[in-house]
Structure formats: structure tokens, C-alpha cells
Amino acid sequence: TEINEKIHSEYEWPDHYGNPDWFLHDRFGLFIHWGLYSLAARHEWVMNREQIHPDHYNKYFKHFEPDLYDPAKWAKVAKEAGMKYVVVTTKHHEGFALWDSNYTEYKATNTPIRKDLLAPLVEAFRKEGLKIGFYHSLIDWYHPEFPVDCIHPQREDEAFKLAASGRDMAKYREFLHGQVRELLTNYGKIDYLWFDFSYEDRGFNGKGAKDWQSEELEKMIFELQPDILLNDRLDLGRGVTTPEQYQPKSNVQKNGKPLIWEACQTLNGSWGYDRDNLNWKSSELLITMLIDTVSKGGNLLLNIGPNGRGELDEKSLTRLQEIGEWMRLHSRSIYGATESQYKAPLDCRFTQRGNRLYLHVLHWPFRTIHLTGLAGKISYAQFLHDASEVFFHEYEKPDVFQHTAFKMEPGEVVIELPTTKPNVVIPVIELY
Ligand code: H79
């Protein structure tokens, strides 16, 4: 109980942004990438990677009919995995709208399924008590006024180059702002808006805040949804920092203060449904990534790519279920927890919630773990999963006889472990 509470009270976060308390508490969200690329089933950048002309890509639009779509199932899976919020692709770079937008004909209601697919999803996840986030692509490879640039497909094709001349960013911007207005008007309270992405520095005609008119867009967003959180990809230097498929070495700081950040990660390296993918992460690795993120003061937004019929594949389901089983027993070390001031030993991660310290043992050692600087600060230790007591030994003074197995440095605590690793993916010891 003597563990010093020195959790960052002040984050680098703009005053005019919404209150991020729920976000900092909840820590774990579900990302959903679902669009026409789910039919291609070979990565959501397929249009770019294979330089597919919009006219040809149109086959996916003509055949999009997710007849088994049941967002209540997805919401249940997310809830049981321990996720507290969802971020769904309203429109990805391909330009296809999942909702009944008045600004385009390229939308779900004009595919064979003939339905707004966003409304039932929002309803289903709200019903399970999850907060609602929208992913929205700033980039658009379908809109005829989006100026062709360094990451636009078909840029080497002569006919395309001709069609690409005279595109008007102002017209695209009107469309972009208009769609965002729809999304923030027609679906009730939206908790989080996740833009993707700015790339002014990436080469020919790369786009940033000036192109999107991010300041005006941001102003409109807060008029429509005063409590909403925004990510950092509008190129304004503020919002939730979103490292992509990358675990930062430590909490990112700015002006000497920690930033609010969220790792976004895939199950297999692809965001969209990817049938032949061989790069699936194990459940253990995914749980490790969640722990690692929270131990650095961040959130984890973990992605699924539902298929063209609107279902989740077996591999995704298994992983979410296994994460959920771990979370059922260990969420106390995740929700409301953050990084600790104490340095974790080798192959361990600390999280801290108030005066409670959580030691996550990623790799099971033989018999002991030495913790530095904690002598005299702990009164009890137990495994989280079964509340079984864990013995520990504290350094007292140098001249006192100490058992050789627990030879300690000043200030150290030695945790005494069972020889066999408990039967959970990653055991956690609660210290307080
Ligand atoms: O929606 C998911 C991805 O499709 C999207 N963001 C997540 C959430 C995304 N993927 N990649 N990126 C954002 C940034 C991409 C950068 C690169 Fe490139 C594309 C690196 C290599 C190809 C652009 C073209 C920059 C260099 C070459």
C-alpha cells in the first residue's frame, strides 16, 4: 500500500478537445475494416498495390452482398473479448461508403445488399455498452475530384493521367466535409473520430491540413459532437497519437508531458479480410501486445477484417475468444491502469492502477523474480487469476542472514514463484 501514486495527471491534450477520461480508462478497442476490398480478400490497399482502375474495381461494388451480416454477433464477440469501444471504417481509401450518404452513389445502399450497414452496427455495439468510433479516410481513390498524387492508383496509365487532369481539391473537400457532417449528425453520439491520413511529406502532391482544411473540419466536428475525441492524422499536431503496426519503446512525450496514444494493430498484417494470409499472430502475442501497450500508458485498438458475407473467420474468432478468456481474469490490470514509475524486470511488464501494481510475467522464470526499489512498499501479493497468495521476501539490512535463494540487493523484493507456470496465457501478480 506504500506504492507511490505517481500517475501522470496531466496529458498533452488540447483544451477544446473532448474529455479523454473514458478512453484512458477503457484501454482496449476493436477496429473493423470492412468494405469492397473484403471481396478482393487480399489486403485493403489492393486497389493501390495492383494499380486497379476504378472502373475495374467496380466489380466488387456490383457483387457486394454480405447476406450473413449480423453486427449483434460482432458486438458480442468484442464485448466478450473485453473491448470497450469500436472504430469502424465508414469509408476507406477506396471511397466506398458503408452508409446511405447523400454525397455519393458509391455506397452500400446501391450494392446488392441495398442497406445502410452502418446504422445497425452502431446500434448493436451501443446495445453491448461499447463506445462508438468512426474511421474515415481523408484519401479517396474513387472520387473524381480527388487530385491524383503519390499514393493514388493508376498514376502511370496515360488514359488515367488525362482523366486526372483538372481535378479540384475544393470540390473534393466539400464532399469530405459533407460526409463527415452526415456521419456526425445521423448516428447519435459518436465518441471517437479516426481520420486516415495526411502525407504532405511523402512526395508528389502529398496532402495535409491545407488540403483537407483541417482547422475548419475540426471546428465543425466539435460543433456537431462537443465531446468527441479525435486522432492525430488531420495534420494539426494534436489528438490521439496513433502508431500503426508498431509498439513504441515507451510513452511518447511532448513538451515534457505524456501524449494520449493508441497502438493500432492487426491480427495478421492486413486490415481488410485477407484469405490466404500466413502471418497470424498468436493469441499470446496479441495479449502481450495489449499488456505492453498499457504498460506504456497507451490504448490498443485491435483490428478484425470481416469477410464479404459479413462473417468473422475462425482464426479471428479464436483469437478474440482467447484474449477474452485472459481478460475475464485479468482485466483489473488493464482497465483504469497505466504505466508505473517502477521499472519492470526482464521479460516482465508493470501496469499500475492507483496503489496497485501488476506484474505481468511474459516468460516464466525459475522460482524468483527480483523487483528493485519496492522493499517496504508492499503488504500483499497474489495471482490475479485465482487470488492465490504469492510469497515475497524483502531486503532488510545487510547484516541479517538471508537464505541464499533470496539473496537480495538493498531495496529489493524477491517474488517466490511456483515452479510450474499457472495455467493462464500470461500470469499476473497483483502487488499492493
Ligand atoms: O486503414 C489501415 C491502413 O489501410 C491505413 N491505416 C490503417 C489504419 C494505412 N496503411 N498504410 N498507411 C496507412 C500508411 C501507408 C504508407 C505507405 Fe507508402 C504505403 C508506405 C508504403 C505504402 C505511401 C506510398 C508512402 C510510401 C509509399
Side-chain angles (χ1 to χ4, degrees):
T1 49
E2 289 299 308
I3 297 167
N4 247 340
E5 193 174 345
K6 197 183 132 203
I7 289 167
H8 303 289
S9 54
E10 286 198 10
Y11 288 86
E12 178 69 20
W13 187 250
D15 290 339
H16 66 290
Y17 273 34
N19 183 343
D21 282 355
W22 70 265
F23 189 79
L24 290 167
H25 173 272
D26 288 354
R27 290 303 187 203
F28 192 26
L30 177 70
F31 215 167
I32 301 177
H33 275 69
W34 197 40
L36 302 181
Y37 46 81
S38 309
L39 295 195
R42 49 185 198 275
H43 199 278
E44 77 288 350
W45 273 57
V46 61
M47 192 177 176
N48 171 293
R49 287 182 169 188
E50 298 176 18
Q51 300 283 298
I52 304 173
H53 192 280
D55 293 350
H56 187 51
Y57 197 83
N58 197 48
K59 65 186 166 184
Y60 303 128
F61 178 73
K62 286 197 303 224
H63 297 288
F64 189 71
E65 189 172 14
D67 59 327
L68 300 178
Y69 177 49
D70 182 0
K73 277 192 193 163
W74 300 0
K76 189 161 173 278
V77 165
K79 167 108 182 180
E80 284 173 0
M83 289 150 162
K84 297 279 197 187
Y85 61 102
V86 64
V87 178
V88 61
T89 50
T90 53
K91 179 197 85 166
H92 201 260
H93 309 335
E94 64 179 4
F96 172 73
L98 212 59
W99 79 102
D100 190 12
S101 173
N102 286 324
Y103 287 85
T104 184
E105 294 303 314
Y106 204 50
K107 54 183 175 181
T109 40
N110 288 339
T111 65
I113 198 72
R114 306 208 74 81
K115 275 185 214 153
D116 179 328
L117 299 171
L118 188 59
L121 186 146
V122 169
E123 191 191 348
F125 278 82
R126 266 201 202 118
K127 212 166 168 183
E128 289 287 2
L130 279 82
K131 296 255 189 321
I132 306 296
F134 286 163
Y135 167 106
H136 196 71
S137 176
L138 298 163
I139 298 163
D140 197 309
W141 296 331
Y142 179 83
H143 197 281
E145 298 293 349
F146 186 87
V148 169
D149 59 32
C150 52
I151 61 166
H152 203 288
Q154 285 290 317
R155 63 185 183 276
E156 298 307 329
D157 177 73
E158 280 310 313
F160 180 80
K161 273 185 188 162
L162 207 62
S165 64
R167 291 183 173 213
D168 184 352
M169 192 65 196
K171 285 187 185 153
Y172 173 71
R173 203 158 43 223
E174 211 173 297
F175 163 82
L176 170 67
H177 289 218
Q179 285 204 325
V180 170
R181 176 179 288 280
E182 282 182 338
L183 289 168
L184 300 186
T185 304
N186 298 337
Y187 297 90
K189 186 172 189 288
I190 303 305
D191 303 288
Y192 189 18
L193 188 53
W194 212 105
F195 283 115
D196 200 23
F197 58 89
S198 298
Y199 50 107
E200 201 163 13
D201 50 352
R202 295 248 181 114
F204 165 64
N205 215 358
K207 296 177 176 64
K210 279 201 212 79
D211 300 286
W212 322 124
Q213 283 192 357
S214 297
E215 297 268 3
E216 288 81 350
L217 189 53
E218 188 192 63
K219 193 162 166 281
M220 177 188 81
I221 291 163
F222 286 113
E223 278 165 17
L224 296 169
Q225 299 274 350
D227 298 325
I228 203 165
L229 306 185
L230 279 181
N231 76 337
D232 65 342
R233 298 191 180 192
L234 272 177
D235 191 26
L236 291 171
R238 49 184 177 255
V240 177
T241 305
T242 51
E244 181 161 333
Q245 300 209 56
Y246 168 71
Q247 294 295 118
K249 197 175 161 190
S250 62
N251 191 346
V252 198
Q253 306 233 342
K254 191 177 166 183
N255 306 324
K257 286 179 177 177
L259 287 159
I260 294 178
W261 71 275
E262 175 194 62
C264 53
Q265 293 287 2
T266 62
L267 295 179
N268 60 25
S270 176
W271 300 89
Y273 177 62
D274 192 9
R275 184 189 60 204
D276 303 333
N277 192 292
L278 298 172
N279 296 316
W280 289 87
K281 298 174 182 82
S282 67
S283 300
E284 182 178 355
L285 178 56
L286 295 163
I287 294 165
T288 300
M289 288 161 78
L290 172 61
I291 293 164
D292 179 67
T293 303
V294 179
S295 81
K296 294 164 182 171
N299 284 28
L300 178 66
L301 186 61
L302 185 62
N303 182 74
I304 54 168
N307 66 27
R309 295 196 72 183
E311 290 217 303
L312 300 180
D313 59 274
E314 201 52 46
K315 288 198 177 75
S316 303
L317 283 171
T318 308
R319 281 157 181 78
L320 291 178
Q321 277 155 11
E322 287 172 2
I323 293 168
E325 179 55 16
W326 185 87
M327 280 295 280
R328 187 177 73 79
L329 298 171
H330 300 96
S331 64
R332 236 151 80 194
S333 77
I334 301 294
Y335 301 142
T338 188
E339 67 190 307
S340 171
Q341 76 204 79
Y342 296 102
K343 195 173 144 34
L346 192 67
D347 290 328
C348 294
R349 295 288 185 283
F350 273 143
T351 66
Q352 191 171 331
R353 187 171 50 82
N355 281 334
R356 296 190 184 210
L357 192 57
Y358 296 92
L359 177 67
H360 301 75
V361 186
L362 305 181
H363 180 82
W364 200 249
F366 175 63
R367 286 291 275 157
T368 56
I369 296 179
H370 289 242
L371 307 175
T372 37
L374 281 164
K377 295 182 173 170
I378 293 164
S379 65
Y380 195 69
Q382 62 178 336
F383 279 113
L384 254 194
H385 66 277
D386 64 354
S388 61
E389 184 180 10
V390 174
F391 287 138
F392 61 92
H393 306 267
E394 293 181 281
Y395 178 90
E396 282 167 22
K397 44 186 159 102
D399 53 343
V400 171
F401 169 80
Q402 298 198 17
H403 190 292
T404 50
F406 305 121
K407 202 162 179 146
M408 285 177 264
E409 304 286 334
E412 263 187 356
V413 164
V414 174
I415 306 281
E416 201 182 327
L417 298 174
T419 308
T420 309
K421 180 189 163 190
N423 192 25
V424 289
V425 182
I426 295 171
V428 180
I429 298 167
E430 184 178 48
L431 308 156
Y432 58 102

